[in-house]
Amino acid sequence: MVEAVVIDLFSLPDNLQNNIQGLLHDMLETSEKGSSIPAPFVYIMCCQRQRRNGEQESLVPALKSLKKRVEVVHALTTAAALYTIKERLDEKDLSIIKVILPTLRKDLMKVYIEHLFTAVYQFEFEDLHLASDSENLQIADSWCEGQMLLMQDVALIQSEIQMYLESLPSLKGELTILRSSLIPDGIFLHGFTTRTGGISYIPTLSSCNLFSSSKRRDPQIVVKENLHRLANVAGCNPETFHRVKVCYQTV
């Protein structure tokens, strides 16, 4: 049962966004009927460059019945918008999501989701049908539905996500490494991390979480960014870094 709806308008010009409000309202009413909650939370992705004063209020007048659960997320990149929405979902512990998007964006969106989410989340996709012959429809993506993304396309998405994560501030303080005086540095470089200095925002995890699992909400790419930040402070190579789990036993 759908708990949240993500509407991807990221590559649509303003005039088309205004013209499809009635269509979105009908689609959301249908989603609400199949939802496990009275009205699913709705997140609308828009490009920051298209934002004008008051746009957030004027974008969704046709969705007044769901107003309290509708949030417009503006960002410069798809990675930034989707990661912001992920934070909102995690705050509310939501994991069953319907994504409504133009057909040309579906394969692209699946790559973003693969990197930013884990198996904890369930996604279903619904096409946002737009007139393909409209002169105003200027989708930035060059691939078509059913066409495999090229390796360089996937690499660009990975780079975009990585650059965004690198720009995020550290959480809960600076990254700190504790070293034992019983282990001389000449033997091997070692250290113990604290719970500060990473970008993992999940309350049950350290901000410098270094362990990724399909059963957690923290994706591998976030853990990788934490590891890079740790490597920068420790002066080690993140590719040859070895993590050791410490188990405590009382006698």
Side-chain angles (χ1 to χ4, degrees):
M1 306 291 280
V2 174
E3 298 173 337
V5 176
V6 176
I7 303 173
D8 178 15
L9 304 183
F10 201 84
S11 57
L12 267 64
D14 293 344
N15 56 337
L16 275 183
Q17 292 180 10
N18 295 330
N19 292 338
I20 64 174
Q21 289 177 22
L23 174 62
L24 292 179
H25 184 271
D26 293 341
M27 298 178 78
L28 290 176
E29 279 191 337
T30 302
S31 296
E32 182 175 341
K33 292 177 181 178
S35 173
S36 59
I37 53 180
F41 293 89
V42 179
Y43 302 94
I44 303 177
M45 294 172 50
C46 294
C47 183
Q48 182 75 42
R49 292 185 294 273
Q50 297 168 350
R51 186 174 187 177
R52 299 189 301 270
N53 291 335
E55 182 182 335
Q56 180 162 339
E57 295 300 322
S58 65
L59 183 62
V60 288
L63 309 179
K64 288 183 179 178
S65 63
L66 300 174
K67 187 67 174 178
K68 293 182 179 180
R69 291 178 178 267
V70 175
E71 180 179 350
V72 181
V73 177
H74 295 272
L76 291 174
T77 65
T78 298
L82 198 56
Y83 192 79
T84 300
I85 291 172
K86 181 183 183 299
E87 290 183 273
R88 305 290 193 271
L89 296 172
D90 292 336
E91 287 171 2
K92 301 176 180 66
D93 197 29
L94 305 176
S95 57
I96 306 176
I97 304 116
K98 173 181 283 189
V99 183
I100 302 175
L101 73 175
T103 305
L104 291 173
R105 290 268 293 177
K106 185 179 295 184
D107 287 345
L108 175 76
M109 182 60 67
K110 287 180 178 179
V111 177
Y112 282 100
I113 288 173
E114 180 184 354
H115 285 82
L116 290 174
F117 293 83
T118 66
V120 169
Y121 307 85
Q122 300 176 42
F123 288 91
E124 60 180 84
F125 297 87
E126 184 172 331
D127 290 336
L128 179 61
H129 296 289
L130 300 167
S132 59
D133 58 349
S134 171
E135 295 181 359
N136 294 321
L137 182 57
Q138 298 176 352
I139 302 297
D141 314 311
S142 59
W143 43 80
C144 299
E145 175 70 2
Q147 178 180 350
M148 295 295 293
L149 294 179
L150 300 176
M151 291 298 294
Q152 55 263 40
D153 296 326
V154 176
L156 286 173
I157 294 173
Q158 292 173 328
S159 177
E160 178 191 319
I161 295 173
Q162 182 178 341
M163 289 180 63
Y164 175 70
L165 295 180
E166 288 175 353
S167 73
L168 294 177
S170 298
L171 301 176
K172 301 180 182 178
E174 296 300 319
L175 199 153
T176 304
I177 299 177
L178 306 177
R179 291 186 171 90
S180 171
S181 59
L182 301 177
I183 306 176
D185 287 339
I187 297 178
F188 63 88
L189 186 64
H190 76 282
F192 304 88
T193 62
T194 63
R195 299 184 64 84
T196 63
I199 62 171
S200 298
Y201 59 80
I202 306 296
T204 56
L205 298 175
S206 162
S207 72
C208 191
N209 174 37
L210 299 176
F211 178 70
S212 178
S213 167
S214 61
K215 297 180 180 180
R216 289 183 172 184
R217 289 178 175 261
D218 220 17
Q220 185 175 359
I221 198 165
V222 169
V223 173
K224 184 178 180 181
E225 172 58 23
N226 287 338
L227 181 55
H228 274 279
R229 296 189 182 204
L230 173 61
N232 287 336
V233 173
C236 64
N237 183 352
E239 304 301 328
T240 59
F241 179 82
H242 293 278
R243 283 159 285 192
V244 178
K245 282 189 175 182
V246 179
C247 298
Y248 296 94
Q249 183 177 1
T250 58
V251 180

